[in-house]
Amino acid sequence: MESVYAHIDANTQKYIDRLGEAIAIPSISGDASHRSDVFRMGAWLKTELVRLGFSAIEEHLPGKQTLQGHELDLPPVVLATFGEDNNKPTVLVYGHYDVQPALKDDGWKYEPFQMVHEKETGRIYGRGSTDDKAPILSWLWVVEAYKALGKELPVNLKVCFEGMEESGSEGLDDIIFKEADRYFKNVDCVCISDNYWLGTKKPCLTYGLRGVSYFMLEIHGPAKDLHSGVFGGTVHEPMTDLIHIMSKLVSPDGKILIPGIYDDVAPVTEDENKLYQGLDFTLTDIHNATESETTIHESVRDTLMHRWRFPSLSLHGIEGAFYAPGAKTVIPAKVIGKFSIRSVPNQTPERIAEIVKTHVESEFKKLKSRNTLKFEAPQGGKCWVADVNNWNFVAARSAIEKVFKTSPDLTREGGSIPVTLTFQEALNKSVLLLPMGRSDDGAHSTNEKIDLFNYIEGIKLLATYLEEVAAVPK
Amino acid sequence: MESVYAHIDANTQKYIDRLGEAIAIPSISGDASHRSDVFRMGAWLKTELVRLGFSAIEEHLPGKQTLQGHELDLPPVVLATFGEDNNKPTVLVYGHYDVQPALKDDGWKYEPFQMVHEKETGRIYGRGSTDDKAPILSWLWVVEAYKALGKELPVNLKVCFEGMEESGSEGLDDIIFKEADRYFKNVDCVCISDNYWLGTKKPCLTYGLRGVSYFMLEIHGPAKDLHSGVFGGTVHEPMTDLIHIMSKLVSPDGKILIPGIYDDVAPVTEDENKLYQGLDFTLTDIHNATESETTIHESVRDTLMHRWRFPSLSLHGIEGAFYAPGAKTVIPAKVIGKFSIRSVPNQTPERIAEIVKTHVESEFKKLKSRNTLKFEAPQGGKCWVADVNNWNFVAARSAIEKVFKTSPDLTREGGSIPVTLTFQEALNKSVLLLPMGRSDDGAHSTNEKIDLFNYIEGIKLLATYLEEVAAVPK
Ligand SMILES: [Zn+2]
Ligand SMILES: [Zn+2]
Ligand SMILES: [Zn+2]
Ligand SMILES: [Zn+2]
């Protein structure tokens, strides 16, 4: 690998410049006026894929959407293949070429769509730098390096790049399921680089995601909003009922109050417990991130377990009540309380929805209110957890050890990355999350950056990972 | 009085036409683009006052306001006097010449600013018809009738007409307090016609109003909104704390849960109890008004007592939480719960603020949260209750009996009419609320109307009231 690493080091400035080119295309999927830029970014990638000799390049157009009053074409899901050798394993990599919105006025120190490489800090600033342009480009630079060196890629590589990730990945799932038996037929494992290190110092591998179930709890009474002077004290107020039920969902220290909710939570095993040792994380990280010292738990282990492997319930808000600044003495006629539960193995969205419904209805009954309850539980998203000992993870771990001379943190994420589960279910192959950037990169925030170190060592990591995938026993 | 009544009957069509003229001026105080119409309406009244021979006509300009981005002059408070005979009592009457907004598209059957007199139903439709143009005009028609008949008015009459009532009566209080010892110096009693009969059949006199104290309960934790996937389960969420405290304020059947809140509530006396007999009110009235059967109490007496003479607490909403349609998995960083208490004799806003603060802080402490509580209790409005046996009420009751051949309902209002208290405190004279319209007039709603019966008999009532004020022993 020494020649590959040397090539990557020697081409650092080229990688920076090309990342700058990609950042300069403001491919904001959530802004109708930037839709053509998303398409331009997709075309930029296709040009690179052609130049590098990828084959079977396909642009799948998921159809149309209405956004901000405009009917828009959805940007293409770009599929491409490098190598079709039946004796090699086939690795599918996923990434997205769209980005979050950004305005200089939001508090950026530089123009968000003009890359700035700060030499003194080693940081490369720009919207999309870490999420997710550096990672997707890195896969291309690996192929380029092998070609330049006249080396054969140790695996067959398939890429799947989408342009709608920041806007709900509209249309992606259909394409993945449709192509499962065709384009993705020979895939042996999947690698997604679209999350972050747990801290800022140590690389990591991510093996779990929580699921999420969203709930809407509607209480309605009168046909229209009432004046609290005239009706206060004489009618059952929907807000009062709702607040009482919402207070029976979660305690101030985060304990979920729904009977049975913890029954399906997998117990912590000894092996799992060990994974929490030596993680690159302190409570200060969470205090810095929230700019407050409002953490519930006293230890890193308890804190991360409650982020990763225990369910949580958050109350998000109320639709229909008075929400503006100032004082208004209204009795809202219809209010909808919104909350969600982050779920973990072995909870299922179906079972969660069932026990939440039972609990909410039973609490409402206790109120003896004459108002009406309507409970909605839209389709929940499942949690995901991988076996950290399968060969895909073993390969990645070994690659990290080779490049970074350290063992990775094995982490989960508290949130969901839905495409992970889609690949898992559509292909039934091992999926791995292999992050490139750091926890402080500011992915959806102002001053998004990626450290040059993470970018360049990340390219080496991806190359080494492909070598290890080819090498490990399966 | 027979000649006065005959004159009023004979001039019915003229009164209708002039009400039509007033309705045609869309004097909407809450809409900057209609401010000139409010001034036009003030000028229209002044012209009438001049024509009728009122003296000492003064237009007090309360100053400026900023509304919808425009700096606007506040419309005048119009003062005028009819008669200055030291041997007669002086009656001050109040009304407002501004109106609520109205658009045909809101669901009006006719153009809201073109009066329609529906002969078959006897109803006069138009914005401002009952609130408050018919009442203020009626005072003028009484003076006109006496003049036409060559009769002397039995009292000195002072009028106070404002143009900002529907928008917080900006500037009015200052003028009343400033003129208390000058323009209003000799006033013996005050009569306000700006509320409604309890039902639709029986006239009433109103002797009480609840006060209102508004509260803002702010909980803040992190510096900015957090993602519930990443932070759910690890930090104290401000919404959870807030919902728990809000659930400790009022029970679903309307009982206030704040210790001590009922201590100062005046006990129901035998005399007061009698006032609840034979009121023109049924639970169906409240069911029709709310278009639901969500009343708490089973009897008219309990229902009206909880509207009029017991305190109530309503939860209005939450600022800072997610309020839009759809699903968003945010942990709001700062939330402000808003609620208010309608207060009754002998509660005071000061005492209420004190015990609410104590309760809220003690409930917050129980949560053992690391978030921060900030509690705000802006200046509350006092409740008001009059002695129904004072001569002002005796005069009004006797007038009602003469005109309507029935005893009035003696009612309170659950809401506040702040000018009542201002007059009470500035002049320290008996204030009486003498409504003209019916409960179903739709004052702030679509299809506002006044029944011709109420308008014409109302003019007779005001004339008779002035006679009785002059006649009753004081
Ligand atoms: Zn991403
Ligand atoms: Zn993202
Ligand atoms: Zn009014
Ligand atoms: Zn009004």
Side-chain angles (χ1 to χ4, degrees):
Chain A
M1 291 302 287
E2 291 315 311
S3 61
V4 175
Y5 295 168
H7 179 90
I8 291 169
D9 283 331
N11 283 275
T12 295
Q13 191 55 50
K14 194 170 71 185
Y15 301 145
I16 296 172
D17 294 344
R18 287 174 182 166
L19 180 56
E21 268 183 51
I23 287 171
I25 303 172
S27 51
I28 306 164
S29 56
D31 183 338
S33 70
H34 282 285
R35 183 53 53 91
S36 60
D37 294 317
V38 185
F39 274 87
R40 272 209 296 142
M41 188 63 215
W44 189 95
L45 282 173
K46 191 185 164 189
T47 305
E48 288 295 286
L49 293 166
V50 170
R51 176 176 72 80
L52 294 169
F54 276 76
S55 61
I57 301 174
E58 296 184 0
E59 292 171 291
H60 288 254
L61 290 164
K64 289 182 184 292
Q65 71 163 167
T66 303
L67 181 65
Q68 293 143 2
H70 303 269
E71 205 194 23
L72 299 175
D73 288 313
L74 289 165
V77 174
V78 179
L79 306 180
T81 301
F82 195 89
E84 306 199 33
D85 183 340
N86 284 334
N87 297 316
K88 294 179 186 170
T90 299
V91 177
L92 170 63
V93 303
Y94 161 91
H96 62 90
Y97 60 85
D98 62 322
V99 299
Q100 286 278 326
L103 290 171
K104 177 111 176 26
D105 284 349
D106 294 342
W108 286 71
K109 48 201 281 199
Y110 308 115
E111 283 296 337
F113 295 103
Q114 287 171 24
M115 184 195 72
V116 172
H117 174 207
E118 249 183 22
K119 297 251 166 59
E120 48 304 3
T121 60
R123 291 172 161 189
I124 300 169
Y125 284 96
R127 173 56 88 221
S129 55
T130 194
D131 181 19
D132 191 30
K133 286 179 173 173
I136 56 174
L137 297 191
S138 295
W139 291 113
L140 306 183
W141 311 154
V142 170
V143 171
E144 186 185 46
Y146 274 77
K147 282 192 69 167
L149 295 167
K151 275 174 71 98
E152 216 182 300
L153 206 63
V155 302
N156 304 313
L157 190 67
K158 283 184 188 281
V159 303
C160 172
F161 295 151
E162 70 154 322
M164 282 298 286
E165 199 274 344
E166 302 294 6
S167 303
S169 293
E170 229 168 296
L172 179 67
D173 280 13
D174 287 350
I175 291 169
I176 293 173
F177 277 100
K178 219 178 77 197
E179 296 300 328
D181 289 333
R182 194 189 67 93
Y183 204 98
F184 301 137
K185 193 168 181 211
N186 298 318
V187 166
D188 295 295
C189 66
V190 183
C191 181
I192 299 174
S193 187
D194 189 23
N195 67 318
Y196 307 93
W197 292 0
L198 179 57
T200 56
K201 294 180 196 73
K202 218 167 134 199
C204 75
L205 286 179
T206 303
Y207 68 96
L209 300 168
R210 291 197 292 189
V212 61
S213 297
Y214 208 91
F215 301 101
M216 317 254 189
L217 204 170
E218 175 184 316
I219 312 261
H220 71 264
K224 53 187 179 230
D225 289 358
L226 303 177
H227 187 284
S228 70
V230 181
F231 293 98
T234 68
V235 297
H236 290 278
E237 301 186 15
M239 262 298 271
T240 306
D241 293 351
L242 180 65
I243 294 285
H244 275 267
I245 301 176
M246 288 177 86
S247 77
K248 299 292 164 55
L249 297 174
V250 59
S251 75
D253 61 351
K255 218 160 283 141
I256 305 179
L257 303 172
I258 299 162
I261 193 81
Y262 292 104
D263 290 356
D264 295 333
V265 175
V268 181
T269 63
E270 230 4 85
D271 277 353
E272 185 191 346
N273 232 328
K274 284 190 198 124
L275 299 178
Y276 286 79
Q277 282 161 10
L279 293 174
D280 174 23
F281 193 79
T282 67
L283 288 190
T284 307
D285 291 331
I286 199 166
H287 293 161
N288 289 345
T290 64
E291 295 175 55
S292 78
E293 304 202 354
T294 58
T295 37
I296 294 172
H297 310 283
E298 301 297 333
S299 72
V300 165
R301 175 186 307 256
D302 282 351
T303 300
L304 288 179
M305 281 198 171
H306 280 90
R307 173 186 291 188
W308 293 348
R309 62 105 56 234
F310 287 119
S312 66
L313 189 155
S314 294
L315 306 171
H316 306 300
I318 296 173
E319 180 183 339
F322 175 56
Y323 63 84
K328 195 175 161 190
T329 57
V330 67
I331 297 176
K334 185 175 101 175
V335 286
I336 306 173
K338 313 219 173 156
F339 64 99
S340 67
I341 292 177
R342 298 284 166 174
S343 60
V344 298
N346 301 312
Q347 295 182 305
T348 64
E350 296 70 29
R351 175 81 185 133
I352 290 173
E354 196 181 303
I355 63 176
V356 171
K357 184 167 192 280
T358 303
H359 178 64
V360 161
E361 287 175 350
S362 126
E363 288 298 325
F364 180 66
K365 215 167 165 189
K366 287 184 199 164
L367 304 182
K368 298 194 196 315
S369 168
R370 287 182 178 158
N371 292 318
T372 305
L373 166 75
K374 208 173 103 191
F375 181 73
E376 270 184 79
Q379 172 80 50
K382 286 185 220 170
C383 57
W384 169 79
V385 70
D387 172 9
V388 297
N389 296 313
N390 78 34
W391 60 260
N392 196 15
F393 276 79
V394 169
R397 197 178 325 185
S398 151
I400 285 177
E401 282 159 1
K402 287 189 175 165
V403 173
F404 292 96
K405 317 289 177 213
T406 181
S407 283
D409 282 342
L410 282 155
T411 69
R412 303 192 187 190
E413 294 274 348
S416 59
I417 304 178
V419 71
T420 311
L421 218 80
T422 308
F423 280 129
Q424 182 82 70
E425 298 194 335
L427 310 185
N428 199 23
K429 293 287 152 60
S430 167
V431 181
L432 163 78
L433 305 184
L434 182 60
M436 181 171 284
R438 301 181 186 179
S439 67
D440 66 352
D441 280 357
H444 287 197
S445 185
T446 51
N447 300 311
E448 179 180 344
K449 58 91 180 164
I450 188 165
D451 293 83
L452 181 60
F453 175 84
N454 287 53
Y455 185 25
I456 300 303
E457 299 309 299
I459 301 169
K460 294 178 192 170
L461 173 62
L462 299 187
T464 314
Y465 163 70
L466 298 183
E467 290 286 347
E468 296 297 317
V469 162
V472 291
K474 290 164 198 88
Chain B
M1 291 302 287
E2 289 317 308
S3 61
V4 176
Y5 295 167
H7 178 90
I8 291 169
D9 283 331
N11 284 275
T12 294
Q13 190 54 50
K14 195 170 70 187
Y15 301 146
I16 296 172
D17 295 342
R18 286 174 182 167
L19 180 55
E21 269 183 52
I23 287 170
I25 302 172
S27 51
I28 305 164
S29 56
D31 183 338
S33 69
H34 282 286
R35 183 54 54 91
S36 61
D37 294 318
V38 184
F39 274 88
R40 273 209 298 142
M41 188 63 213
W44 189 96
L45 282 173
K46 191 185 165 187
T47 304
E48 286 296 285
L49 293 166
V50 170
R51 176 178 73 80
L52 294 169
F54 275 76
S55 61
I57 301 176
E58 296 183 1
E59 291 171 290
H60 288 254
L61 290 164
K64 290 182 183 293
Q65 70 162 169
T66 303
L67 181 65
Q68 293 142 4
H70 301 270
E71 204 194 25
L72 299 175
D73 288 313
L74 289 165
V77 174
V78 179
L79 306 180
T81 301
F82 195 90
E84 305 199 35
D85 183 339
N86 284 333
N87 298 316
K88 294 178 185 171
T90 300
V91 178
L92 170 63
V93 304
Y94 161 91
H96 63 89
Y97 59 85
D98 62 321
V99 299
Q100 286 277 326
L103 291 171
K104 177 113 178 15
D105 284 349
D106 294 341
W108 286 71
K109 48 200 282 198
Y110 309 115
E111 283 295 338
F113 295 103
Q114 287 173 22
M115 185 194 72
V116 172
H117 175 208
E118 248 183 25
K119 296 253 167 58
E120 46 310 358
T121 60
R123 290 171 163 191
I124 301 169
Y125 285 95
R127 174 55 89 218
S129 55
T130 195
D131 181 20
D132 190 34
K133 286 179 172 172
I136 57 174
L137 297 190
S138 295
W139 290 113
L140 306 184
W141 311 154
V142 170
V143 171
E144 187 185 47
Y146 276 76
K147 283 190 69 167
L149 295 167
K151 274 175 71 104
E152 215 183 301
L153 207 63
V155 301
N156 305 314
L157 190 67
K158 282 183 188 285
V159 303
C160 172
F161 295 151
E162 69 155 322
M164 282 296 288
E165 198 275 342
E166 302 294 5
S167 301
S169 292
E170 229 169 298
L172 179 67
D173 280 12
D174 287 350
I175 292 169
I176 293 173
F177 277 100
K178 219 178 76 196
E179 296 300 326
D181 289 333
R182 195 189 66 93
Y183 204 98
F184 300 137
K185 192 168 181 209
N186 298 319
V187 166
D188 294 297
C189 66
V190 183
C191 181
I192 299 173
S193 187
D194 189 23
N195 66 318
Y196 308 93
W197 292 0
L198 179 57
T200 57
K201 296 180 194 74
K202 220 169 133 195
C204 73
L205 285 179
T206 303
Y207 68 97
L209 300 168
R210 292 198 290 188
V212 62
S213 297
Y214 208 92
F215 301 102
M216 318 253 187
L217 204 169
E218 175 185 316
I219 312 262
H220 71 266
K224 52 188 181 229
D225 289 357
L226 302 177
H227 187 285
S228 70
V230 181
F231 294 99
T234 67
V235 297
H236 290 277
E237 301 187 14
M239 263 298 271
T240 306
D241 292 353
L242 180 66
I243 294 286
H244 275 266
I245 301 177
M246 288 177 87
S247 77
K248 299 290 164 56
L249 297 173
V250 60
S251 73
D253 63 349
K255 218 161 284 141
I256 305 178
L257 303 172
I258 299 162
I261 193 82
Y262 292 104
D263 290 355
D264 295 334
V265 176
V268 182
T269 64
E270 230 1 88
D271 278 354
E272 185 190 345
N273 232 329
K274 285 190 198 123
L275 299 178
Y276 286 80
Q277 282 162 11
L279 293 175
D280 174 23
F281 192 80
T282 66
L283 288 190
T284 306
D285 291 330
I286 199 166
H287 293 161
N288 289 344
T290 64
E291 296 174 57
S292 78
E293 303 201 357
T294 57
T295 37
I296 294 173
H297 310 283
E298 301 298 333
S299 74
V300 165
R301 176 186 306 257
D302 282 351
T303 299
L304 288 179
M305 281 198 171
H306 280 90
R307 172 185 292 187
W308 293 348
R309 63 102 58 233
F310 287 119
S312 65
L313 189 155
S314 294
L315 306 171
H316 305 301
I318 297 173
E319 180 184 339
F322 176 56
Y323 63 84
K328 195 176 161 189
T329 56
V330 68
I331 297 176
K334 184 174 100 176
V335 286
I336 306 174
K338 313 218 174 157
F339 64 99
S340 67
I341 293 177
R342 298 284 166 175
S343 59
V344 299
N346 300 311
Q347 297 180 303
T348 63
E350 295 72 28
R351 175 83 186 130
I352 290 173
E354 196 181 302
I355 64 177
V356 172
K357 184 167 192 282
T358 303
H359 178 64
V360 161
E361 288 176 349
S362 125
E363 288 298 324
F364 179 66
K365 215 167 163 190
K366 287 185 199 163
L367 304 183
K368 298 194 198 310
S369 167
R370 288 183 178 157
N371 292 317
T372 305
L373 166 75
K374 207 172 105 192
F375 180 73
E376 269 186 78
Q379 173 80 51
K382 287 184 220 172
C383 58
W384 169 79
V385 69
D387 171 9
V388 297
N389 296 314
N390 78 35
W391 60 260
N392 195 14
F393 277 80
V394 169
R397 196 178 326 188
S398 150
I400 286 175
E401 281 158 1
K402 287 189 175 162
V403 174
F404 292 96
K405 316 290 176 211
T406 181
S407 283
D409 282 341
L410 282 156
T411 68
R412 302 191 189 192
E413 295 274 348
S416 60
I417 304 179
V419 70
T420 312
L421 218 81
T422 308
F423 280 129
Q424 182 82 72
E425 298 194 334
L427 310 185
N428 198 23
K429 294 287 153 61
S430 167
V431 181
L432 164 78
L433 304 185
L434 183 59
M436 181 172 284
R438 301 180 187 180
S439 68
D440 66 353
D441 281 357
H444 287 196
S445 182
T446 51
N447 299 311
E448 179 180 344
K449 59 89 179 164
I450 187 165
D451 293 83
L452 181 61
F453 175 85
N454 286 52
Y455 184 26
I456 300 303
E457 299 309 299
I459 301 169
K460 294 178 191 169
L461 173 62
L462 298 188
T464 314
Y465 163 68
L466 298 183
E467 290 286 347
E468 296 297 317
V469 163
V472 291
K474 290 166 196 88

